[in-house]
Amino acid sequence: MSTTIRRKAQSARKTSAAQGKKARVKQARRQTGSALEAVLAMLPFSEEQLHRIFVVAILGGAAVLVWLAASAAGVPTVAETQMAEIASQAGFEVRRVEVRGVKNINELKIYEKALAQRDRAMPLVDLEALRADLLALSWVKDARVSRQLPDTLVIDIVERTPHAVLRKADRYVLIDETGAELDPVSARNAKGKLIVSGPGAGQQVVALSGLLRVAPALQPQVAEAEWIGNRRWNLTFQTGQVLALPEGERESGAALLSFARLNGTNRLLGGKVAAFDMRAGDRIYFRVPGREEAEEEEKAAASRAKVAAATANAAVPVSASTTKESE
């Protein structure tokens, strides 16, 4: 004998609740998918790049496990190489080099340094070593090297600023504000720039800049600065006139400031004076072209006159009475 048990039919209320729950689940899934798509759209990667990143992440996880196992076995170098190979196979290797901030330097010199990393897996690129190589270039004041995944090295260069020209015995050299030598230049290209000369002058460029800042009105008129005896400066202005300054940072600055004030009231530059000597400290000496020659000529004429007078006095005069007696 069998008994049939009839289940009570589901009420309309429960059916409606179940359908509502399913609808909410579908809506949540749609919202989650939309939110995920929005987040992915905000990322600075293409779909292909994202795919590579996900692949590398998966492979990277496996590589980490390999590295941990290799490290435990005492062979971490093998693990590092394995990780680099995985990254390279996923497309993360150097294929492009982007250089920024270059204006005066020859870009080929930078590419010569950077292209040594070409086709190398990104994890194996020694950024600090490459930066050190770039800093060895004369024009490079600072450099920053970074990876731009998946395949680009980005090099940002800060160049040195040309400040003056150092005149050596056999050539002219462009220098920056610290005296660092940049590139040789011709005498023609050196014109119009501040010329620094004298033994040891390159090491005194910073001090010279501080000195010239004492008299900003005179600074653009200085054509050449000569370091004399490793102790003081002679300044040559664009007019060709020379100013001899005393020794010592404080003394030379005070003398230059005093000269600037005198020039402002008496217009010394552009006048007849060829040289100004302020080494005495409490006074200024002037040298006027032609005056020394005139003085020498006057001295020579006076000397000749004295000789002539002495010769005339030494001669014996013949009187008239003596002549008659002799007759």
Side-chain angles (χ1 to χ4, degrees), residues 128-183:
E128 286 302 319
L130 178 54
R131 179 176 180 271
D133 288 342
L134 294 172
L135 290 176
L137 297 175
S138 60
W139 273 93
V140 178
K141 184 177 183 179
D142 197 7
R144 186 173 67 89
V145 184
S146 59
R147 301 180 180 91
Q148 188 177 81
L149 298 178
D151 58 2
T152 304
L153 276 182
V154 179
I155 299 176
D156 291 285
I157 297 294
V158 178
E159 289 187 347
R160 296 184 184 274
T161 303
H163 176 71
V165 172
L166 178 62
R167 184 172 64 192
K168 295 189 172 185
D170 57 346
R171 66 186 186 280
Y172 291 88
V173 180
L174 197 64
I175 59 176
D176 73 349
E177 67 278 2
T178 67
E181 298 184 8
L182 305 179
D183 272 333

Side-chain angles (χ1 to χ4, degrees), residues 5 46 91 105 112 116 164 189 250 259 286 306:
I5 301 175
S46 65
I105 192 172
E112 285 175 3
N189 291 333
R250 185 175 180 181
F259 180 81
F286 302 87
K306 286 181 180 180

Side-chain angles (χ1 to χ4, degrees), residues 31-262:
Q31 290 176 350
T32 302
S34 300
L36 181 59
E37 290 175 359
V39 170
L40 293 177
M42 293 173 62
L43 294 176
F45 302 108
S46 65
E47 186 176 347
E48 181 181 357
Q49 290 174 334
L50 286 172
H51 175 71
R52 287 183 178 179
I53 291 173
F54 290 142
V55 170
V56 170
I58 295 170
L59 296 177
V64 169
L65 295 176
V66 173
W67 183 84
L68 290 174
S71 297
V75 284
T77 304
V78 175
E80 183 179 345
T81 304
Q82 183 66 27
M83 291 179 66
E85 289 180 358
I86 292 173
S88 179
Q89 291 172 3
F92 285 79
E93 63 180 11
V94 180
R95 294 176 181 172
R96 295 178 59 249
V97 176
E98 183 178 343
V99 179
R100 303 171 181 171
V102 170
K103 182 179 179 182
N104 295 301
I105 192 172
N106 185 352
E107 283 191 49
L108 291 178
K109 293 182 179 180
I110 297 178
Y111 282 111
E112 285 175 3
K113 304 287 185 182
L115 290 178
Q117 311 294 331
R118 190 171 179 86
D119 297 328
R120 179 173 296 185
M122 278 292 186
L124 295 182
V125 177
D126 191 337
L127 300 183
E128 286 302 319
L130 178 54
R131 179 176 180 271
D133 288 342
L134 294 172
L135 290 176
L137 297 175
S138 60
W139 273 93
V140 178
K141 184 177 183 179
D142 197 7
R144 186 173 67 89
V145 184
S146 59
R147 301 180 180 91
Q148 188 177 81
L149 298 178
D151 58 2
T152 304
L153 276 182
V154 179
I155 299 176
D156 291 285
I157 297 294
V158 178
E159 289 187 347
R160 296 184 184 274
T161 303
H163 176 71
V165 172
L166 178 62
R167 184 172 64 192
K168 295 189 172 185
D170 57 346
R171 66 186 186 280
Y172 291 88
V173 180
L174 197 64
I175 59 176
D176 73 349
E177 67 278 2
T178 67
E181 298 184 8
L182 305 179
D183 272 333
V185 294
S186 64
R188 179 179 179 181
N189 291 333
K191 289 182 179 180
K193 298 179 176 63
L194 174 64
I195 306 295
V196 181
S197 61
Q203 288 73 44
Q204 300 296 324
V205 173
V206 175
L208 175 62
S209 298
L211 172 64
L212 296 179
R213 281 196 295 269
V214 171
L218 290 179
Q219 186 170 358
Q221 302 183 59
V222 178
E224 182 172 344
E226 183 180 6
W227 184 237
I228 305 293
N230 200 30
R231 53 193 173 86
R232 67 174 194 84
W233 291 101
N234 272 3
L235 302 182
T236 302
F237 298 96
Q238 292 178 357
T239 58
Q241 297 164 290
V242 179
L243 171 62
L245 294 173
E247 298 179 34
E249 180 180 351
R250 185 175 180 181
E251 292 78 4
S252 60
L256 183 60
L257 181 59
S258 177
F259 180 81
R261 290 171 178 169
L262 288 172

Side-chain angles (χ1 to χ4, degrees), residues 318-327:
V318 179
S319 62
S321 57
T322 304
T323 305
K324 289 180 179 180
E325 289 178 357
S326 62
E327 291 176 350

